[in-house]
Amino acid sequence: MNTTNSAILQMVRGERGNIDNIEFSEEYKEAKKVSMKAQSEFIQKLDKYPQLKTLYFEMEKAMGIEYALHIEEVYKEAFSFGLSLGKEAK
């Protein structure tokens, strides 16, 4: 077995398995740019309504936490399923 291509070693060396190593598509980068612009414009308009602005940021925080927990569960299931497939392939 060639251990230089081992996924475990790549993870240990920081070559894979972290967000800094993900090459996002141009489509994603463009979508992110559009999203950030719209959010910025929306927040500027909320300056006139401090209570709504506070509520908006509370909502954003709650949605961010929910999304992170959701992605964590999806990742754990996908990883577990991948290990099961690998075990069966052996």
Side-chain angles (χ1 to χ4, degrees):
M1 177 177 156
N2 182 357
T3 59
T4 59
N5 291 327
S6 161
I8 294 170
L9 289 178
Q10 288 175 352
M11 185 177 64
V12 169
R13 293 189 300 252
E15 297 167 359
R16 295 189 67 192
N18 65 61
I19 196 151
D20 295 332
N21 296 332
I22 297 173
E23 292 186 34
F24 292 101
S25 68
E26 290 304 316
E27 181 181 30
Y28 170 80
K29 290 176 186 175
E30 184 58 33
K32 180 75 172 173
K33 200 181 301 183
V34 170
S35 172
M36 295 300 290
K37 183 176 185 266
Q39 183 184 38
S40 177
E41 290 173 11
F42 183 71
I43 290 170
Q44 284 178 346
K45 291 181 191 253
L46 282 178
D47 282 337
K48 296 176 187 175
Y49 310 98
Q51 289 177 318
L52 283 178
K53 190 172 184 177
T54 299
L55 184 58
Y56 172 76
F57 284 114
E58 288 174 5
M59 179 190 71
E60 281 281 304
K61 182 178 178 181
M63 288 172 60
I65 292 168
E66 175 201 352
Y67 181 71
L69 293 171
H70 171 82
I71 290 300
E72 183 178 300
E73 294 302 319
V74 169
Y75 176 80
K76 288 190 295 188
E77 172 57 23
F79 189 80
S80 177
F81 184 62
L83 288 175
S84 297
L85 287 173
K87 185 177 177 184
E88 284 183 32
K90 183 182 177 191

